[in-house]
Amino acid sequence: MTEELEVLQGAISAVVYQNAENGYAVLRLHVGGGQNITVVGTIPLPVVGEQLMVTGRWSTHPNYGKQFEAEFLERLMPQSSAEILSYLSSRVIRGIGPRMAARIVDQFGDATLQIMEREPQRLSEVPGISRKKALEIGEAFRLQVGIRQLMEFFALHHLPAELAVRVYKLYGESTIQLLYDDPYLLMEEGLEAPFAAVDRFAIDLGVSADDPRRAEAGILYELNYNLTAGHSFLPQEKLVAATAQLLTVEPPVAEQAVERLLEGQRLVRETLAGILVIYLPRLHEAECCCAERLLAFGMQEFPAPGDLEGMIRRIGKESGIAYSLEQQQAIREAATSGLLLITGGPGTGKTTILNGILALLGQMGRRCLLAAPTGRAAKRLSEVTGEEASTIHRLLEATIDPNTGNMFFARDADNPLKADTVIVDEMSMVDVELLYALLQAVPGNKQLILVGDADQLPPVGPGFPFSDMLRSQMLPTIRLTEIFRQAQQSLIVMNAHRVNRGEMPDLKTVDSDFFFLRRKSEESVWELIRDLCAQRLPRNMGIPSEQIQVLSPTRKGGVGTVHLNQILQAALNPGAPDKKERVFGEFTFREGDRVMQIRNNYDLMWKKTDGSAVGCGVFNGDIGRITKIDPAAETMTLLFDDREAEYDFTQLNELEPAYAMTVHKSQGSEYRAVILAVWNGSPYLLSRSILYTAITRARELLILVGREETVAVMTRNAKKNRRYTGLKLRLQGKVG
């Protein structure tokens, strides 16, 4: 490679490769004289036809030969009508295809781009373009130009390219100037910016190590980061120490930042169990209000119907069930309690009780609403009860504020749910913020029934409210312990209870619904899992591959979900000339793939396949199938059961392949068959609660593949990461 920088100018003739996550691209640049040069580097969102001025150096790649490595670039907007037509025909602006591009350029010629930016309403002079469409095109053009400029700015400062879209939508055209004034604006909630990259950027701009803005950003980052570990707060001493270490400053710098943030009401300090703790205000409000509302519901009682015992007997007779004493007590309590917690492991009759309660409340004339934390859990709740159930987010009518882009719930204290009883299943998955929103929307004179298994994994979000409620012993609770005879025939059920008690599961029985297949190498584990999914279970047991879910405790390694998804995709949905694909990160999305939404998107539009309804919102954990990839329009269409949603390629970071998923991601779901990889891994992930949760995901068949020693390690490892949460203490009145 030569040391001298050179400058090349030309039009992009082809985009060979681009990575939407980091902006890296391989281009063919037409520099005149019929010469096309290969250019590589960080060139976000390149488009065929656009003009570039690229500064860089020549190098020789061992496989691809001579190429130009771009270090800096300047985009030169096309000037002539022919250049503009080529630029717009590439669908760089959403809503404009080749034919519309031709009509627009015919109308405005060399002034086309100036019109689009400054007088977009004039686009309505073009046949087939309404005034509304014209303004939408103008907005899309300004957004595209602004985001590209911001991406280039981010690339220059080594900030993630995909962050630019979120930042631009928040701060608009003044983004770059605002970031020069305060680079820590990038740490605003919802932007999901990596602190280390933002901190380097700030220091590059001259921010000193002990700058108050830096210290305050560090404190807020530590608190927000620890929400992802489940903590509702942090002890002040730990928060100061962690921030001082993060920023490489003395603890007094972090202590002073805490005091300033407290003074500005951006933090809340309280004493819990004799320790000073620090909350983000919204978490403090959520926890305090949850405790207050739960205690109020728990103190409520409703009059029992005159013939309650007779009603319970008749319901049992009509359903052909002889209720146990525990079950009778649960149904009886549901008639009179303002709040009822029901908990128990597999085979203890939670579903039977739920159906009995619904029958009783129906006879009492009470209107019930059913919900669960995820779409899959809600679907399962509907299947086992025969009643309509929704996600908690849909129940509360999650909505996006068009002015701020923030999510809020339309159902709240001022617009409560219209129901006498609200029943929520899979409560172990509900974090403290979602519980707060739910409690706000249930009128104080109504009833709340919460059902779950406290031994499942805790929620992904902060807190563990269902466990706190049960451990407080302050709220009406039914604990189911009896395993029914029919359930005792299932080795899945019995092994789940063995694991929960810390006993080794039965791995030797081979004529039931639970099998252990020993393998001695990582390669043999994933090879067997592939064969089970692609051939053996579909052929020998009649279980289609789409009804098999592969689970792993970890994402990494040969039997982690990343690698398993790659080898399962190759076996179950191999590439073909008639299947379109899109590369994103370390995975190639392909038509026909099974994928999962990995974050809540409240404003993504969907429509029912039968045309009966449209709506907004696809949520973390929803599983869909890719039905169409349109490279020209840069969109991907997914089918979620009977709902169809269209993603543009900038949203692909919200999706993951779902042939294999982590045990954490499987919470709240039930699958006909589950295959669990049990191999070496982090002690944090090889735990009893993860093994127990994985076992309880299987309805008909569970297969463990791997090492018996790993199963033993997971069974023994009862250690649970401590979560800092104050709900239990608040329910017990032990605050201060």
Side-chain angles (χ1 to χ4, degrees):
M1 181 186 292
T2 64
E3 291 299 319
E4 291 187 10
L5 289 171
E6 290 190 36
V7 179
L8 298 178
Q9 182 174 334
I12 298 175
S13 58
V15 178
V16 179
Y17 170 81
Q18 60 176 312
N19 185 322
E21 290 184 277
N22 57 25
Y24 181 82
V26 179
L27 314 173
R28 299 276 190 267
L29 194 68
H30 183 72
V31 294
Q35 188 178 16
N36 280 293
I37 302 298
T38 299
V39 178
V40 301
T42 302
I43 307 171
L45 301 178
V47 175
V48 171
E50 70 175 325
Q51 295 278 332
L52 297 182
M53 183 179 291
V54 187
T55 303
R57 295 180 171 88
W58 291 98
S59 68
T60 301
H61 191 279
N63 296 326
Y64 303 115
K66 191 175 182 181
Q67 57 189 27
F68 192 76
E69 294 189 3
E71 295 187 19
F72 309 100
L73 72 108
E74 180 182 351
R75 294 181 193 268
L76 307 172
M77 296 304 290
Q79 301 296 317
S80 69
S81 295
E83 291 172 347
I84 294 170
L85 177 60
S86 176
Y87 173 71
L88 294 180
S89 295
S90 66
R91 299 183 185 270
V92 63
I93 308 301
R94 190 161 188 169
I96 299 181
R99 284 181 292 183
M100 183 179 289
R103 296 202 305 271
I104 294 173
V105 175
D106 283 347
Q107 181 77 21
F108 299 112
D110 295 354
T112 295
L113 298 185
Q114 184 176 338
I115 295 292
M116 289 174 65
E117 181 179 9
R118 300 177 184 175
E119 302 176 88
Q121 69 278 4
R122 287 192 57 194
L123 294 173
S124 61
E125 298 172 17
V126 176
I129 299 181
S130 65
R131 179 178 175 82
K132 179 182 177 184
K133 179 70 172 176
L135 294 174
E136 288 175 352
I137 290 173
E139 178 62 27
F141 177 69
R142 287 193 297 274
L143 180 67
Q144 185 77 0
V145 171
I147 287 175
R148 284 173 181 232
Q149 290 174 343
L150 189 58
M151 280 184 165
E152 290 160 14
F153 176 78
F154 276 20
L156 183 64
H157 292 284
H158 308 290
L159 292 165
E162 71 270 20
L163 180 61
V165 177
R166 298 193 293 273
V167 175
Y168 190 86
K169 287 181 179 178
L170 184 62
Y171 297 123
E173 296 176 2
S174 57
T175 298
I176 293 176
Q177 185 56 53
L178 287 171
L179 293 181
Y180 273 121
D181 294 339
D182 184 1
Y184 291 104
L185 289 174
L186 289 173
M187 296 310 303
E188 282 291 323
E189 202 169 339
L191 292 179
E192 300 177 22
F195 182 82
V198 174
D199 200 37
R200 283 195 302 270
F201 167 56
I203 290 171
D204 286 346
L205 294 185
V207 174
S208 64
D210 60 354
D211 189 294
R213 294 171 301 174
R214 182 172 185 253
E216 290 170 15
I219 292 287
L220 295 173
Y221 167 76
E222 283 291 346
L223 284 168
N224 278 293
Y225 175 79
N226 277 279
L227 295 182
T228 64
H231 301 306
S232 299
F233 63 82
L234 286 180
Q236 180 168 328
E237 186 178 342
K238 287 183 178 290
L239 174 61
V240 167
T243 305
Q245 183 177 13
L246 172 74
L247 303 179
T248 320
V249 297
E250 293 300 316
V253 174
E255 289 170 354
Q256 292 162 14
V258 169
E259 296 303 325
R260 287 192 301 271
L261 290 166
L262 286 166
E263 187 177 339
Q265 299 184 333
R266 298 179 70 187
L267 298 179
V268 175
R269 181 161 54 202
E270 198 165 24
T271 302
L272 289 180
I275 299 172
L276 281 178
V277 303
I278 302 294
Y279 283 88
L280 292 167
R282 74 175 199 276
L283 269 298
H284 184 262
E285 180 183 4
E287 204 173 81
C288 291
C289 290
C290 281
E292 181 182 332
R293 295 283 287 165
L294 287 166
L295 289 170
F297 277 113
M299 292 175 64
Q300 263 192 156
E301 287 192 5
F302 299 103
D307 186 23
L308 176 58
E309 300 304 323
M311 293 172 73
I312 295 173
R313 284 194 299 272
R314 285 193 296 275
I315 290 168
K317 186 176 180 181
E318 289 169 3
S319 58
I321 295 171
Y323 292 123
S324 69
L325 293 177
E326 284 182 339
Q327 292 176 319
Q328 290 177 42
Q329 181 62 19
I331 297 172
R332 190 179 298 115
E333 291 280 341
T336 59
S337 297
L339 172 68
L340 182 61
L341 312 179
I342 301 174
T343 185
T348 57
K350 292 195 299 294
T351 299
T352 300
I353 288 173
L354 204 47
N355 283 319
I357 288 172
L358 286 168
L360 176 65
L361 297 180
Q363 289 187 21
M364 293 172 63
R366 292 189 191 170
R367 184 190 174 198
C368 298
L369 290 176
L370 277 67
T374 67
R376 287 173 292 157
K379 182 181 179 183
R380 178 170 168 264
L381 183 58
S382 292
E383 291 169 351
V384 299
T385 63
E387 303 286 341
E388 182 181 352
S390 70
T391 64
I392 298 174
H393 284 84
R394 288 204 179 95
L395 182 74
L396 300 180
E397 298 175 21
T399 308
I400 290 292
D401 185 329
N403 298 317
T404 66
N406 295 328
M407 188 276 295
F408 69 95
F409 292 111
R411 293 290 181 180
D412 55 17
D414 297 322
N415 182 29
L417 294 167
K418 303 292 191 288
D420 300 303
T421 300
V422 175
I423 300 174
V424 182
D425 195 15
E426 295 289 353
M427 269 300 299
S428 64
M429 298 180 66
V430 177
D431 64 41
V432 71
E433 291 188 285
L434 186 55
L435 177 63
Y436 170 51
L438 175 69
L439 293 173
Q440 291 290 97
V442 180
N445 60 345
K446 302 301 181 183
Q447 183 183 40
L448 192 60
I449 298 175
L450 308 177
V451 184
D453 181 350
D455 293 315
Q456 299 281 358
L457 291 168
V460 174
F464 197 171
F466 193 56
S467 176
D468 283 349
M469 284 185 257
L470 294 168
R471 290 187 301 116
S472 76
Q473 299 183 343
M474 298 298 294
L475 304 171
T477 301
I478 297 292
R479 296 178 185 270
L480 305 173
T481 57
E482 181 182 348
I483 304 174
F484 289 89
R485 183 175 300 173
Q486 183 178 356
Q488 291 177 17
Q489 310 306 310
S490 166
L491 198 55
I492 291 174
V493 170
M494 300 311 293
N495 274 339
H497 285 278
R498 287 189 182 101
V499 167
N500 206 26
R501 293 192 299 265
E503 300 170 8
M504 189 69 176
D506 177 359
L507 303 181
K508 296 178 180 177
T509 302
V510 294
D511 59 351
S512 186
D513 53 5
F514 186 111
F515 297 90
F516 173 69
L517 302 179
R518 183 179 290 101
R519 288 298 182 269
K520 294 183 178 181
S521 70
E522 206 171 45
E523 183 178 5
S524 63
V525 171
W526 63 254
E527 284 180 342
L528 176 56
I529 290 174
R530 178 193 60 197
D531 294 345
L532 286 168
C533 292
Q535 300 174 27
R536 292 169 61 170
L537 294 186
R539 184 182 62 220
N540 300 336
M541 301 191 70
I543 302 177
S545 57
E546 60 268 21
Q547 294 180 20
I548 304 167
Q549 184 59 59
V550 175
L551 302 180
S552 175
T554 181
R555 290 177 54 85
K556 299 177 181 179
V559 295
T561 57
V562 172
H563 182 244
L564 286 172
N565 272 310
Q566 291 169 344
I567 63 108
L568 288 170
Q569 182 197 43
L572 301 175
N573 187 33
D578 61 339
K579 291 180 185 176
K580 295 186 178 65
E581 300 179 346
R582 173 70 179 189
V583 176
F584 187 83
E586 52 198 352
F587 190 76
T588 299
F589 290 106
R590 183 176 296 143
E591 288 177 339
D593 275 341
R594 187 197 308 176
V595 296
M596 176 195 293
Q597 178 79 12
I598 59 170
R599 66 183 62 164
N600 292 332
N601 186 329
Y602 303 99
D603 56 355
L604 187 64
M605 293 287 296
W606 54 261
K607 61 182 180 181
K608 288 284 188 76
T609 51
D610 61 4
S612 63
V614 296
C616 290
V618 179
F619 302 109
N620 186 9
D622 286 354
I623 299 287
R625 182 172 56 84
I626 300 172
T627 57
K628 180 182 178 183
I629 295 177
D630 188 336
E634 297 195 332
T635 60
M636 182 185 292
T637 304
L638 267 67
L639 183 65
F640 297 94
D641 295 325
D642 61 346
R643 294 176 296 123
E644 197 172 63
E646 185 177 272
Y647 291 67
D648 64 56
F649 285 172
T650 64
Q651 296 172 304
L652 297 190
N653 62 333
E654 298 183 8
L655 297 171
E656 276 186 359
Y659 297 103
M661 68 178 72
T662 62
V663 178
H664 281 89
K665 287 290 187 182
S666 73
Q667 279 182 272
S669 299
E670 188 178 75
Y671 310 98
R672 184 176 175 188
V674 167
I675 301 172
L676 175 66
V678 283
W679 196 249
N680 300 329
S682 162
Y684 169 70
L685 296 173
L686 299 183
S687 69
R688 183 185 300 173
S689 59
I690 285 184
L691 180 57
Y692 174 77
T693 299
I695 292 171
T696 55
R697 299 308 91 203
R699 185 171 66 248
E700 293 181 20
L701 178 67
L702 178 76
I703 301 176
L704 305 185
V705 181
R707 301 172 71 247
E708 189 171 356
E709 297 86 348
T710 301
V711 179
V713 166
M714 297 179 80
T715 303
R716 289 194 302 268
N717 182 10
K719 184 178 179 181
K720 296 181 180 178
N721 276 4
R722 180 186 176 190
R723 290 189 169 206
Y724 290 117
T725 164
L727 182 59
K728 174 181 166 238
L729 293 173
R730 295 184 193 283
L731 290 169
Q732 294 172 332
K734 296 180 179 178
V735 177

